Amino acid sequence: MSQQDAEPVLEGMTNTEQTSVLITGGNKGLGLETARRLGELGWTIFLGSRDAERGRTAAAKLAADGANVVMVPLDVTSDESVADAVRRVREHTDRLDVLVNNAGAPGNVVTPADATAGELHAVYDTNVYGPVRVTHAFLPLLRAAANPRVVMVSSGGGSFAVVTDPGQPVSKMHELAYSSSKAALNMITVRYAQALPEIKFNLLTPGEVANRKFTATDMNHHTGQLTVTEGTDPIVELATLGPDGPSGIFIDRLGPVAW
């Protein structure tokens, strides 16, 4: 990565009184819409993007609309990239109020009979190890906040109740990597919530499980029935929880989702 690619879009120091959020996979889709909505609340947005050029473009657009945004080059599959992201965020703030682990990989939807360990590993590296890698690295900054929150973007495909319901479309999506990675993320998040009660750890699916709907994004080739704004409703809900809010829950925009 060149020095130019590594520079944040905005160089101004973050106002320590503003709520701060780091969003992984923030240059498009759910991540970008989350950034837009939280930016409208006056939050400082650390926009994580694996592709620095796309990240700069997205951050510039948000900034043009009035958001306080800093682009952070961030590949969640790279220890070095994550460590560098922590350093860059520390240049602007001494705490992080909210972490949104949004970056995800769909995999190649390989049927179980044809799936290999390599196929699963590539998806797990983003969907499971990525959130763990980022969360672990940012724990010191999160612990420095008064009301730290970690929001994990999961999927209805990670719910055993949903996948075993014949009426749910995902029950007929015969693959191993994506659904099992999200189920693993669900368990990891619950264990974080149990072990670290000083931080709120919660999960959401950007859909409507009861209505069998999901959000249109690049990941599903925009075949979903919900807009990205609707899909980010539960992300914003969990990101803005007050000090007395819950931890260890799994929701969509309509309410709790069965495990």
Side-chain angles (χ1 to χ4, degrees), residues 94-106:
D94 59 358
R95 61 173 170 77
L96 183 68
D97 297 292
V98 180
L99 168 62
V100 178
N101 280 305
N102 166 71

Side-chain angles (χ1 to χ4, degrees), residues 116-223:
T116 63
E119 165 68 16
L120 268 69
H121 178 76
V123 176
Y124 273 55
D125 204 17
T126 298
N127 295 357
V128 182
Y129 312 142
V132 171
R133 187 176 284 116
V134 175
T135 299
H136 180 263
F138 279 92
L139 271 179
L141 281 171
L142 286 163
R143 282 175 162 146
N147 176 33
R149 289 141 278 168
V150 177
V151 180
M152 304 285 201
V153 178
S154 185
S155 168
S159 160
F160 284 86
V162 173
V163 170
T164 57
D165 178 354
Q168 291 286 349
V170 71
S171 71
K172 301 172 182 63
M173 187 176 78
H174 299 147
E175 55 78 53
L176 295 184
Y178 182 76
S179 55
S180 68
S181 73
K182 292 301 188 179
L185 179 63
N186 290 2
M187 178 61 77
I188 285 167
T189 305
V190 169
R191 300 302 271 172
Y192 272 134
Q194 292 171 334
L196 299 169
E198 71 275 17
I199 302 174
K200 294 179 178 60
F201 286 88
N202 291 303
L203 293 144
L204 72 299
T205 174
E208 295 179 354
V209 170
N211 295 328
R212 301 168 186 173
K213 293 181 178 180
F214 53 96
T215 299
T217 65
D218 286 353
M219 189 176 290
N220 57 51
H221 307 292
H222 297 274
T223 57

Side-chain angles (χ1 to χ4, degrees), residues 80-101:
E80 181 181 4
S81 177
V82 172
D84 190 56
V86 173
R87 181 180 67 79
R88 294 182 181 283
V89 171
R90 282 190 178 277
E91 291 175 354
H92 297 269
T93 184
D94 59 358
R95 61 173 170 77
L96 183 68
D97 297 292
V98 180
L99 168 62
V100 178
N101 280 305

Side-chain angles (χ1 to χ4, degrees), residues 5-164:
D5 286 342
E7 291 300 325
V9 166
L10 298 184
E11 298 298 336
M13 292 300 291
T14 296
N15 182 342
T16 56
E17 296 305 313
Q18 288 183 313
T19 301
S20 58
V21 58
L22 171 67
I23 303 168
T24 68
N27 65 281
K28 65 178 182 177
L30 294 166
L32 181 58
E33 179 64 4
T34 298
R36 184 192 68 79
R37 294 181 67 178
L38 296 179
E40 287 186 342
L41 297 179
W43 290 24
T44 294
I45 310 297
F46 293 103
L47 191 80
S49 178
R50 184 177 60 178
D51 186 303
E53 183 62 34
R54 291 179 180 176
R56 282 195 297 270
T57 299
K61 184 177 186 302
L62 292 171
D65 291 336
N68 181 19
V69 56
V70 177
M71 196 284 285
V72 179
L74 177 54
D75 178 354
V76 303
T77 69
S78 165
D79 289 335
E80 181 181 4
S81 177
V82 172
D84 190 56
V86 173
R87 181 180 67 79
R88 294 182 181 283
V89 171
R90 282 190 178 277
E91 291 175 354
H92 297 269
T93 184
D94 59 358
R95 61 173 170 77
L96 183 68
D97 297 292
V98 180
L99 168 62
V100 178
N101 280 305
N102 166 71
N108 299 312
V109 195
V110 177
T111 62
D114 296 323
T116 63
E119 165 68 16
L120 268 69
H121 178 76
V123 176
Y124 273 55
D125 204 17
T126 298
N127 295 357
V128 182
Y129 312 142
V132 171
R133 187 176 284 116
V134 175
T135 299
H136 180 263
F138 279 92
L139 271 179
L141 281 171
L142 286 163
R143 282 175 162 146
N147 176 33
R149 289 141 278 168
V150 177
V151 180
M152 304 285 201
V153 178
S154 185
S155 168
S159 160
F160 284 86
V162 173
V163 170
T164 57

